[in-house]
């Protein structure tokens, strides 16, 4: 198989990948150029960020968010990193993920902010799960949302970028469509605009599959954590991803159509998001829809209470 882009330029180069959903075969150099150009086009077309933004990339140590940080920097965006160490010791998951984020931070010569859940709570996610009986993923989501917003605002960032990819977004969309959860459908956007006390959040990788981000990391020699989070095994999203991969194999382009046609055709027909009035948390000052204490501080109190009893 020959690279299509090289062929168009009258050259002959062996392709290293065929992307059936774009009907495109590319060599190494053309893949890297295609990836970065497509990322920049997505950002500009959707008005996600500009070169004037001070961007914080939430990096997990995985391939998607590290590829995003690297590519944004190469494209000339000003982007720093934030890693939240969740305190997952099984197979050294958290320490290894953190190391990967540190390595890229040094390579890019950009700062990496680190938040340690164990320092905040005295325990990591698995122990917090045992202590409070709350599902690990919901604790993890609460803590990540809280610190991503707090660290970005406190340090003057105008925008947070996450590494959610096409596979993530399609699996989420599929799952909420199955139950016609309209409120969640309304929130399924690649950009969550800034509002009182909440920084703008963008997902620039929505047009890329996991495999494309993986290949970008391999070709750019970005070291990332290979293992999935040990607490996420058996999660429904993984089942949906496998199912959707089978559909994609039979009918290439399904994922892109499902996601982008939703954004273009269905989302505009949905009612606007009803944003409940926001208040400042009486403990930490972060915005919350509760009248008094935010969900994070309530969780912190619950942990303290459980430790005392
Ligand atoms: P996930 O929910 O694990 O699929 O992650 C989605 C996105 O959230 C990643 O691409 C990152 O941008 C961000 N993220 C996940 N885990 C962390 C973490 N430990 N620290 C900072 N950002 C994270
Ligand atoms: Fe959140 Fe595993 S990444 S529980
Ligand atoms: Zn609070």
């Amino acid at each position: 198989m020959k690279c299509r882009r090289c062929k168009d330029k009258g050259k002959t180069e062996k392709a290293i990948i065929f992307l059936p959903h774009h009907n495109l075969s590319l060599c190494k150099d053309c893949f890297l150029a295609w990836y970065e150009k497509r990322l920049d086009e997505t950002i500009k077309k959707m008005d996600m960020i500009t070169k004037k933004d001070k961007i914080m990339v939430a990096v997990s140590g995985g391939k998607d968010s590290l590829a995003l940080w690297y590519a944004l920097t190469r494209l000339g965006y000003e982007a720093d990193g934030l890693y939240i160490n969740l305190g997952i010791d099984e197979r050294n998951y958290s320490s290894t993920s953190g190391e990967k984020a540190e390595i890229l931070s040094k390579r890019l010569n950009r700062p990496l902010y680190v938040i340690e859940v164990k320092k905040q709570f005295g325990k990591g996610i698995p122990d917090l799960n045992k202590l409070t009986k709350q599902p690990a993923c919901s604790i993890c989501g609460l803590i990540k949302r809280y610190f991503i917003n707090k660290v970005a605002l406190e340090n003057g960032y105008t925008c947070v970028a996450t590494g959610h990819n096409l596979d993530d977004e399609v699996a989420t969309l599929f799952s909420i469509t199955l139950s016609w959860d309209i409120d969640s459908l309304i929130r399924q956007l690649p950009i969550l605009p800034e509002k009182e006390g909440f920084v703008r959040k963008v997902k620039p990788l929505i047009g890329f599959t996991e495999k494309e981000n993986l290949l970008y990391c391999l070709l750019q020699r970005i070291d990332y954590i290979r293992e999935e989070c040990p607490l996420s095994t058996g999660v429904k999203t993984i089942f949906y991803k496998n199912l959707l991969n089978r559909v994609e194999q039979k009918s290439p382009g399904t994922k892109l159509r499902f996601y982008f046609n939703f954004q273009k055709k269905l989302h505009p027909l949905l009612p606007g998001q009803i944003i409940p009035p926001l208040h400042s948390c009486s403990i930490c000052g972060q915005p919350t829809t509760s009248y008094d204490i935010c969900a994070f501080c309530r969780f912190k109190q619950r942990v303290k209470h459980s430790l005392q009893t």
Side-chain angles (χ1 to χ4, degrees):
M1 204 175 24
K2 300 278 183 281
C3 170
R4 248 262 310 276
R5 290 280 156 93
C6 283
K7 197 176 154 213
D8 291 347
K9 290 182 216 148
K11 294 190 285 176
T12 312
E13 195 67 53
K14 214 171 144 205
I16 57 156
I17 190 164
F18 174 61
L19 306 171
H21 44 296
H22 296 293
N23 192 23
L24 192 61
S25 47
L26 296 168
C27 67
K28 178 186 168 192
D29 288 348
C30 288
F31 173 80
L32 291 174
W34 170 86
Y35 183 97
E36 288 168 7
K37 185 163 177 261
R38 185 171 159 80
L39 175 61
D40 210 22
E41 280 170 0
T42 308
I43 289 171
K44 289 189 174 127
K45 205 156 69 191
M46 296 201 163
D47 220 357
M48 286 185 173
I49 42 182
T50 70
K51 300 264 161 84
K52 287 194 185 127
D53 273 303
K54 195 175 164 205
I55 307 155
M56 170 161 277
V57 184
V59 286
S60 63
K63 59 189 182 325
D64 305 295
S65 47
L66 293 181
L68 175 63
W69 193 9
Y70 191 86
L72 283 178
T73 308
R74 274 190 44 96
L75 288 167
Y77 291 93
E78 189 190 337
D80 300 333
L82 165 66
Y83 171 68
I84 299 166
N85 184 320
L86 300 162
I88 301 171
D89 296 329
E90 196 179 329
R91 287 182 265 134
N92 295 325
Y93 179 74
S94 289
S95 55
T96 311
S97 316
E99 275 163 29
K100 308 296 180 197
E102 294 278 0
I103 292 171
L104 192 62
S105 156
K106 289 208 178 79
R107 182 167 163 197
L108 294 174
N109 199 18
R110 306 268 351 165
L112 175 74
Y113 295 79
V114 179
I115 294 285
E116 307 256 356
V117 170
K118 280 190 186 170
K119 278 198 191 139
Q120 299 287 331
F121 291 94
K123 289 177 185 303
I125 299 280
D127 288 335
L128 290 172
N129 159 248
K130 278 184 209 130
L131 189 72
T132 62
K133 310 276 183 296
Q134 226 169 290
C137 286
S138 93
I139 302 174
C140 167
L142 173 78
I143 292 177
K144 282 196 290 208
R145 277 193 303 276
Y146 183 80
F147 283 111
I148 285 175
N149 194 59
K150 189 172 191 294
V151 175
L153 282 183
E154 284 178 357
N155 294 283
Y157 289 87
T158 54
C159 171
V160 167
T162 55
H164 293 92
N165 58 43
L166 181 68
D167 297 85
D168 296 328
E169 295 305 280
V170 167
T172 306
L173 188 57
F174 183 68
S175 158
I176 57 187
T177 303
L178 286 181
S179 55
W180 292 117
D181 176 353
I182 303 292
D183 287 341
S184 298
L185 280 177
I186 293 171
R187 287 194 300 271
Q188 281 316 298
L189 286 169
I191 307 172
L192 289 177
E194 172 191 344
K195 57 178 187 257
E196 231 180 308
F198 286 107
V199 71
R200 177 173 14 123
K201 293 205 187 91
V202 296
K203 300 174 180 175
L205 293 185
I206 34 138
F208 295 100
T209 62
E210 276 177 12
K211 270 191 198 154
E212 287 157 2
N213 295 333
L214 172 79
L215 183 60
Y216 186 79
C217 282
L218 294 176
L219 297 179
Q220 297 287 27
R221 291 174 293 102
I222 298 168
D223 194 9
Y224 62 91
I225 183 151
R226 263 82 176 158
E227 288 82 36
E228 291 290 332
C229 167
L231 308 181
S232 70
T233 45
V235 168
K236 239 194 201 153
T237 322
I238 298 174
F239 171 72
Y240 289 143
K241 279 187 180 173
N242 290 335
L243 195 69
L244 289 157
N245 279 341
R246 290 175 59 190
V247 179
E248 181 74 20
Q249 228 174 9
K250 284 255 178 234
S251 174
T254 302
K255 287 183 200 171
L256 280 171
R257 274 194 302 278
F258 184 56
Y259 183 75
F260 285 98
N261 282 347
F262 164 74
Q263 296 295 347
K264 202 167 111 195
K265 298 182 181 176
L266 191 86
H267 197 273
L269 303 179
L270 295 173
Q273 194 179 350
I274 300 162
I275 304 164
L278 296 171
H279 312 271
S280 283
C281 167
S282 60
I283 296 178
C284 71
Q286 284 283 295
T288 172
T289 51
S290 317
Y291 278 94
D292 190 13
I293 301 171
C294 75
F296 177 85
C297 289
R298 275 204 308 273
F299 178 73
K300 235 178 162 173
Q301 286 181 337
R302 198 169 154 190
V303 172
K304 206 168 147 194
H305 180 75
S306 306
L307 283 171
Q308 283 161 355
T309 52

